[in-house]
Amino acid sequence: SGIGLATAKLLASHGARVAITGLDGARLVAAGAQVGADTITVRADVRSPTDLVALRDTIARDFGRLDILFANAGVALSTPIETTDEARYAALKDVNVKGVFFTVQAVLPLMRTGAVIVLNTSWLNKVGTPGLSLLSASKAAVRSFARTLSAELLPRGIRVNAVSPGAIDTPIRRRGGSTEDEVRASNDRLAARI
């Protein structure tokens, strides 16, 4: 959904053969239909090394190689310092940091010279926002991955970039348990700052 779906549609509209992933099988199939008839959908959990190997094997079988990786899986959870427990910490870090790193690692053998990796981070990687310390830190880690991996993969001719979008009203903003009124109030506060 959101940025990932919009990106998949954009790539497909420019002639790319697209594979998308997600946890929810029904939502994934619906998203694939929106992207295009040739879209490959692979149910995968970025926290699972087994799922990532299966993803790589599916891409290898159906595409042979991978020219572009857009690593976009992420969760956005509030993590106030006084109330955040270890389970919430793990839920956020396992997707946003571990998931990104091991997704890149899994598909890297399929990437040729001239391939591109784009890591989706966030404007939160550069600002202090109360209650979002772990989300911000996870996005800063992704930005750091882009810098480090670009140097590490330079000899292979693989370009690595990060994009840091501002606040965008996508479905992820409604998954943290916020009411529609809370989301609307948050959107209004963000719009006023922008």
Side-chain angles (χ1 to χ4, degrees):
S1 66
I3 294 170
L5 180 58
T7 302
K9 287 177 177 180
L10 179 66
L11 291 169
S13 74
H14 287 280
R17 293 180 60 212
V18 177
I20 60 173
T21 67
L23 281 174
D24 184 315
R27 280 187 30 211
L28 185 60
V29 170
Q34 291 180 54
V35 175
D38 293 336
T39 302
I40 295 168
T41 59
V42 182
R43 193 203 164 285
D45 183 342
V46 297
R47 298 168 296 183
S48 166
T50 303
D51 283 7
L52 293 174
V53 167
L55 170 65
R56 180 191 62 222
D57 292 348
T58 300
I59 292 169
R61 182 192 69 227
D62 293 348
F63 293 167
R65 69 171 199 250
L66 188 63
D67 297 316
I68 301 169
L69 168 65
F70 180 52
N72 181 61
V75 294
L77 305 172
S78 65
T79 53
I81 188 68
E82 294 175 345
T83 59
T84 299
D85 61 15
E86 193 172 350
R88 196 162 182 92
Y89 174 96
L92 198 144
K93 290 294 195 172
D94 282 355
V95 173
N96 293 7
V97 180
K98 176 184 168 185
V100 169
F101 183 86
F102 287 105
T103 297
V104 172
Q105 183 187 67
V107 301
L108 196 55
L110 303 178
M111 301 194 87
R112 60 171 178 73
T113 299
V116 176
I117 298 171
V118 179
L119 306 177
N120 195 19
T121 175
S122 168
W123 63 284
L124 294 169
N125 68 40
K126 291 189 175 190
V127 298
T129 304
L132 298 179
S133 60
L134 292 178
L135 177 58
S136 300
S138 73
K139 296 304 185 175
V142 172
R143 188 185 74 219
S144 181
F145 285 160
R147 291 179 178 140
T148 306
L149 294 175
S150 65
E152 189 170 339
L153 298 175
L154 180 63
R156 290 191 48 190
I158 297 173
R159 188 175 75 235
V160 182
N161 292 101
V163 293
S164 299
I168 298 173
D169 190 8
T170 64
I172 198 170
R173 299 193 38 81
R174 287 156 181 79
R175 290 191 195 130
S178 299
T179 67
E180 192 58 37
D181 286 341
E182 290 169 331
V183 171
R184 194 173 10 265
S186 174
N187 287 350
D188 291 345
R189 282 192 305 275
L190 288 167
R193 287 177 62 191
I194 294 168

